[in-house]
Amino acid sequence: MFETGLLRCSKSCRLRWTNYLRPGIKRGNFTDQEEKLIIHLQALLGNRWAAIASYLPERTDNDIKNYWNTHLKKKLKKLETGADGLTTSRVSSHQSISKGQWERRLQTDINTAKQALCEALSLEKPNCLSSFKASFSGSNSSTRPSTYASSTENISRLLEGWMRKSTRPGACQANSGSTQTDSACSQGTPSATNCTMSLEPLEQLFGPDSSTPEASETSLVGEERKLVLEAQEPLSLIESWLLDESVGQGQLSLLDMALDDASELF
DNA sequence: AAACACATCAACCGCCTGCTA
DNA sequence: TTAGCAGGCGGTTGATGTGTT
């Protein structure tokens, strides 16, 4: 501990630096993209503002937390109470679940799905299951050392894949001047933080034509519509994603899968 | 102009975790 | 092994700004 002569301890100084003084911090209104990304990440990660902030290097966890509490909560509540059946069911269904429960169930389901997939495809790869199980070994609440660490890493991996897929030509732009936070570094922030993510899935939440499933579906064009329709085929969304992940192609968004999966599970 | 309500956001608080002696 | 410490985190508070009556 050091004293600066100010009436602040090192803790306060650090906070002041990371939340206010640190260079590269963007102030002012959040863009639509940032807003959607926050909502997306909050749905995935829960109130883990530091983890969410690691995907928005120009914003601090405090900023995001404040923005969520003051703006986005209301916005989502509005949507929830609105006449939008699809959005309402989607948002409320996954928000009503406690985060830990959601994570465990999702991870368990992923595990099960992947196992089934490996077996179904008769993959003669002993590493397939073992490596996967190892990667999710932390999902057992009685053995995992840290829910946070395991889930953050997992989600990071998922997001990496999602961002790769959702990034379209011209959609990725450099974030010049941004500085990684200490927390971002320590948490293994994916390199994709410098990408402005494509967030079409969330247009369904915020777009003017998202009030009905039909509308949201018809708002999609070409390849996206095809993929949405494909997602309604017997293959579960998780399986689609797993296949997608293993093949390294496809454009199903993680958000759709996560939310749909949550709806299916509950 | 004053009073009040509401919104915003920096800072504080307490808990948890990891490190180290 | 363990106690003490520092740092990180999320939840909450309170000061300040802004809008409304």
Side-chain angles (χ1 to χ4, degrees):
Chain A
M1 159 135 21
F2 67 95
E3 296 293 342
T4 61
L6 301 169
L7 294 175
R8 294 176 189 272
C9 64
S10 63
K11 207 170 177 175
S12 296
C13 289
R14 185 194 64 84
L15 211 62
R16 173 83 175 155
W17 171 261
T18 54
N19 286 337
Y20 197 79
L21 299 172
R22 179 168 57 89
I25 286 181
K26 190 169 154 190
R27 312 195 69 78
N29 294 335
F30 282 64
T31 65
D32 281 350
Q33 277 199 334
E34 285 175 320
E35 193 172 287
K36 291 166 185 175
L37 178 56
I38 291 166
I39 293 166
H40 183 185
L41 289 166
Q42 205 278 341
L44 287 167
L45 297 165
N47 294 356
R48 290 166 172 168
W49 308 117
I52 292 170
S54 70
Y55 291 90
L56 290 153
E58 292 178 327
R59 303 289 187 178
T60 67
D61 54 353
N62 214 27
D63 265 345
I64 293 168
K65 184 168 61 182
N66 282 332
Y67 190 69
W68 175 266
N69 287 330
T70 57
H71 292 89
L72 299 180
K73 249 185 181 175
K74 290 174 193 166
K75 205 165 187 174
L76 287 177
K77 201 170 183 179
K78 223 175 185 176
L79 282 167
E80 251 183 272
T81 55
D84 182 344
L86 173 70
T87 305
T88 301
S89 66
R90 278 187 162 192
V91 174
S92 61
S93 66
H94 82 271
Q95 283 195 335
S96 63
I97 307 156
S98 76
K99 179 200 62 55
Q101 194 180 9
W102 188 90
E103 276 179 6
R104 277 193 296 277
R105 286 190 154 188
L106 180 60
Q107 288 179 352
T108 303
D109 200 59
I110 290 168
N111 200 350
T112 306
K114 199 141 195 171
Q115 186 173 350
L117 194 62
C118 285
E119 288 169 5
L121 296 175
S122 301
L123 293 175
E124 296 300 322
K125 293 178 185 175
N127 288 341
C128 173
L129 270 178
S130 59
S131 63
F132 181 75
K133 281 176 180 172
S135 71
F136 281 89
S137 60
S139 63
N140 184 333
S141 59
S142 63
T143 57
R144 62 179 167 182
S146 161
T147 307
Y148 175 81
S150 61
S151 63
T152 304
E153 286 162 16
N154 293 338
I155 295 295
S156 293
R157 283 198 294 273
L158 302 186
L159 278 167
E160 275 185 276
W162 177 67
M163 284 188 279
R164 273 199 304 273
K165 289 166 200 164
S166 61
T167 301
R168 286 170 173 74
C172 187
Q173 63 189 42
N175 251 337
S176 60
S178 66
T179 316
Q180 291 290 348
T181 64
D182 47 356
S183 63
C185 293
S186 66
Q187 288 169 18
T189 305
S191 58
T193 47
N194 286 335
C195 276
T196 302
M197 297 163 71
S198 171
L199 296 160
E200 277 103 339
L202 279 156
E203 302 292 355
Q204 293 174 27
L205 278 176
F206 292 88
D209 297 323
S210 64
S211 56
T212 64
E214 291 79 17
S216 60
E217 197 175 297
T218 51
S219 70
L220 301 173
V221 290
E223 185 75 3
E224 284 175 329
R225 181 180 168 83
K226 185 180 154 195
L227 285 160
V228 167
L229 292 172
E230 280 174 6
Q232 294 168 348
E233 294 298 314
L235 268 184
S236 78
L237 290 160
I238 282 289
E239 283 166 341
S240 299
W241 169 59
L242 291 166
L243 278 169
D244 187 44
E245 184 190 50
S246 59
V247 173
Q249 289 177 351
Q251 296 176 33
L252 270 176
S253 82
L254 181 60
L255 173 69
D256 275 346
M257 287 182 282
L259 296 184
D260 284 338
D261 187 53
S263 300
E264 286 169 15
L265 285 171
F266 309 103

